Amino acid sequence: MDALGILIVIALIHCLLFFFDIFFKSCSHFPYLYFLENTGLEIRLFRLTWFTTAFNRKIIKWGMSRSRFWTAWFNAGVIITIVLLPIVIIILLKMTFSMWRAGSSSDDNSGVILEPMLPGVNVPFSEIGYYAITLAICTIVHELGHALAAAREDVQLFGIGLFIFFTIPIAYVDMNSEQTAALPLKNQLRIMCAGVWHNIILATVAAAVLVFSAWLWAPLYSLDSGVYVKTILPNSPMLGPTGLLERDVIYKLNNCPVRNSEDWYDCMLHAVQHSSPGYCVKQSFIQDYDESVPAKQKTNGVVNCCTTDSETSGSLCFEYIEGPQAAPLHLPPHSCLPARAMINQSQNFCQTSHECLSHDTHCLKPSLDNVTKIVQIKRKVNKDVLYIGHPADIYRTVDVSDWVPKYSFLHPRLPESLALFCKYITAFSGGLAFVNVAPCFFLDGQYIISILVLYLLNSIPHNKNIREATILTVTSIATLLLIINVMYLLINKLL
């Protein structure tokens, strides 16, 4: 299903839920109203809200236990958040100036640090599940930080909820704002900085798991030892009795070593951009297996020296490449040889005959057009796969993984999923921390900057107007900068 189909299905589900919600409410179905009241569900068009008080007692218990630990924990959060605040402001200014210098050009992204992640644009729709789940986890952890800090400061907690707008889940916490405002400024800072602090910790943990994933999976998987064939598409030219198999481990393409998926791509690109390599072949083999007929040159420059029957059986026309130190030639300039047998017994790759070490060997290159290549795929268990065609067809139809299982019952899906999950957690949690610490309206930074200004200007008498003006100015400028940058990035991504 394509991206548009997925969006249509999600929209239909929302419309059906909204329709049945109106239908049951209009019919005054008491069981349905009782169900909504007891579950905390609220259904609107393209919006679902869930609110509960079931976790209040547990959160209060966590917040009140281990008093010294939580005090040190949230104090550390205040310090880190305050240090991060000017850094975020500087980054916003830098991004704005970079955008101003770039002007209308969308090619200059050197100043881009914050980047929106949009499904179907720079996030594949195949990963929409990771997108939604990680966003929900990051917002829940953020709000849990506020809830724990509020419980620690003895602020009344009304409940927590989850808000889903179309496909975007957002968690929230409802607590007594009057009690929060009555707290000392440093206690208020602990509550307001807790969400950002928890996002920073979550992003750090996810990044650490990602960095040390090779070590964590070492007993079960190996890295940089080749690529593992996960799937082969039904239309792949690699299928067949002598083709690739799923679970094969590939370690070389022609003379190009393959240690990971990046090498796999680079070796494929090298095969596309360069002509097929030559092969050092013994003269005796050529004399025994040569089935050449008078050579004919085709319109595309390819020399044909094989009969139709020979080509059907897997023979190719090879051209003798003479080097400056080559042995005297006792062979015709073109030979029709069985490709697989010749390549299997060849000693090494070559470009000229003097690269062949033995005096009775010659460098032979296949006579092919600029598009068709010979690709020799070496795998660890089965014999080599020989492919004659365009290398891009291999890359397009064969899906490989860096994770090579050490046991046959394992599959690379598990470490790949964990790595992708950690990448999303790191990106989303770090992004939420960055955005929320910005002193903008409706974000945590608005309340953090307000508390900081009140604390710094508290010693100045009759400073209420100065404080309010300072808070409003800083918040307005930061909000304007954030909106400009986000809109600029969205326009560049969507257009």
Side-chain angles (χ1 to χ4, degrees):
M1 186 179 294
D2 59 2
L4 181 60
I6 294 175
L7 292 177
I8 292 174
V9 169
I10 295 173
L12 288 175
I13 292 173
H14 275 284
C15 291
L16 285 174
L17 289 174
F18 183 63
F19 170 77
F20 283 113
D21 180 71
I22 295 177
F23 174 76
F24 286 125
K25 285 181 178 177
S26 62
C27 295
S28 301
H29 288 179
F30 178 76
Y32 178 71
L33 297 175
Y34 180 79
F35 168 77
L36 291 179
E37 182 180 354
N38 281 271
T39 57
L41 284 175
E42 182 182 0
I43 301 174
R44 300 286 178 88
L45 186 60
F46 301 121
R47 189 179 71 182
L48 300 176
T49 305
W50 175 67
F51 182 81
T52 182
T53 60
F55 303 103
N56 289 9
R57 187 171 298 179
K58 197 69 175 178
I59 292 174
I60 294 172
K61 182 179 179 181
W62 286 347
M64 298 305 295
S65 63
R66 299 182 180 180
S67 176
R68 292 183 179 179
F69 169 79
W70 286 120
T71 300
W73 176 262
F74 291 119
N75 284 340
V78 171
I79 295 171
I80 297 298
T81 304
I82 292 176
V83 170
L84 187 62
L85 179 60
I87 297 175
V88 170
I89 295 175
I90 292 172
I91 290 174
L92 284 175
L93 291 171
K94 180 182 176 182
M95 291 174 61
T96 306
F97 290 144
S98 298
M99 178 192 67
W100 185 269
R101 287 197 305 267
S104 59
S105 174
S106 60
D107 296 330
D108 185 7
N109 294 324
S110 58
V112 174
I113 298 174
L114 180 67
E115 184 176 5
M117 299 180 69
L118 304 174
V121 179
N122 56 351
V123 175
F125 262 98
S126 59
E127 299 175 3
I128 190 68
Y130 292 95
Y131 183 94
I133 292 172
T134 52
L135 185 57
I137 290 174
C138 292
T139 57
I140 288 171
V141 169
H142 180 96
E143 296 302 329
L144 182 61
H146 289 308
L148 286 172
R152 179 73 188 87
E153 302 299 335
D154 202 20
V155 173
Q156 184 181 5
L157 183 65
F158 297 125
I160 60 174
L162 186 65
F163 173 84
I164 301 177
F165 178 74
F166 201 64
T167 60
I168 301 176
I170 301 173
Y172 66 94
V173 59
D174 188 12
M175 56 187 176
N176 194 316
S177 57
E178 295 181 357
Q179 290 183 0
T180 304
L183 291 172
L185 295 180
K186 63 178 182 179
N187 300 62
Q188 293 183 42
L189 269 179
R190 290 174 186 163
I191 297 175
M192 297 306 166
C193 295
V196 174
W197 172 235
H198 277 218
N199 277 138
I200 293 173
I201 293 298
L202 181 61
T204 304
V205 172
V209 172
L210 186 62
V211 170
F212 294 105
S213 58
W215 179 79
L216 293 173
W217 292 107
L220 302 176
Y221 297 87
S222 59
L223 288 174
D224 292 327
S225 60
V227 293
Y228 179 90
V229 178
K230 293 194 298 182
T231 55
I232 305 175
L233 295 181
N235 62 339
S236 176
M238 290 288 97
L239 294 175
T242 59
L244 278 177
L245 300 172
E246 293 184 0
R247 297 180 174 269
D248 277 342
V249 179
I250 300 170
Y251 67 93
K252 186 176 284 189
L253 260 66
N254 290 336
N255 202 29
C256 183
V258 177
R259 295 178 297 273
N260 49 51
S261 56
E262 292 184 5
D263 290 345
W264 170 256
Y265 172 78
D266 292 339
C267 291
M268 284 293 178
L269 188 62
H270 183 274
V272 171
Q273 295 176 343
H274 297 80
S275 60
S276 297
Y279 303 90
C280 291
V281 185
K282 289 185 177 181
Q283 182 170 318
S284 58
F285 177 86
I286 300 172
Q287 292 172 339
D288 292 341
Y289 288 92
D290 184 14
E291 299 178 351
S292 60
V293 296
K296 296 179 181 180
Q297 189 168 1
K298 300 180 180 179
T299 56
N300 58 1
V302 176
V303 176
N304 183 18
C305 62
C306 295
T307 63
T308 305
D309 293 338
S310 298
E311 289 180 342
T312 304
S313 62
S315 295
L316 281 178
C317 186
F318 289 87
E319 177 185 1
Y320 172 77
I321 305 299
E322 185 178 3
Q325 302 176 4
L329 179 62
H330 302 292
L331 300 167
H334 296 90
S335 298
C336 180
L337 300 170
R340 177 174 291 279
M342 193 210 74
I343 292 174
N344 287 339
Q345 66 85 46
S346 64
Q347 298 177 351
N348 57 284
F349 296 95
C350 61
Q351 294 297 328
T352 57
S353 285
H354 75 272
E355 296 179 5
C356 299
L357 303 178
S358 179
H359 71 280
D360 62 341
T361 57
H362 303 279
C363 184
L364 297 182
K365 293 188 70 173
S367 181
L368 301 169
D369 56 41
N370 293 331
V371 176
T372 305
K373 314 287 183 180
I374 291 184
V375 181
Q376 184 181 6
I377 302 175
K378 293 184 175 291
R379 45 188 179 173
K380 290 189 174 180
V381 176
N382 300 310
K383 65 180 182 179
D384 297 350
V385 175
L386 189 64
Y387 171 71
I388 302 175
H390 199 289
D393 293 334
I394 306 176
Y395 187 80
R396 179 177 52 84
T397 59
V398 177
D399 188 19
V400 299
S401 173
D402 290 338
W403 300 91
V404 179
K406 295 183 177 180
Y407 305 98
S408 59
F409 62 89
L410 294 174
H411 193 274
R413 187 180 298 109
L414 184 59
E416 282 182 340
S417 299
L418 179 63
L420 185 60
F421 181 70
C422 289
K423 288 179 182 178
Y424 271 99
I425 287 288
T426 304
F428 275 131
S429 194
L432 283 174
F434 179 93
V435 171
N436 272 284
V437 82
C440 302
F441 291 111
F442 310 113
L443 299 177
D444 292 344
Q446 175 188 3
Y447 306 102
I448 294 171
I449 197 69
S450 299
I451 296 170
L452 289 176
V453 171
L454 289 174
Y455 184 79
L456 293 175
L457 300 182
N458 199 30
S459 59
I460 302 176
H462 311 293
N463 64 345
K464 182 178 179 181
N465 293 334
I466 298 176
R467 289 195 306 245
E468 292 180 353
T470 303
I471 293 170
L472 181 61
T473 302
V474 173
T475 307
S476 300
I477 293 174
T479 303
L480 182 63
L481 291 176
L482 184 62
I483 291 174
I484 290 173
N485 279 279
V486 171
M487 293 301 297
Y488 175 76
L489 294 171
L490 284 175
I491 291 172
N492 282 342
K493 285 292 180 184
L494 297 175
L495 298 181

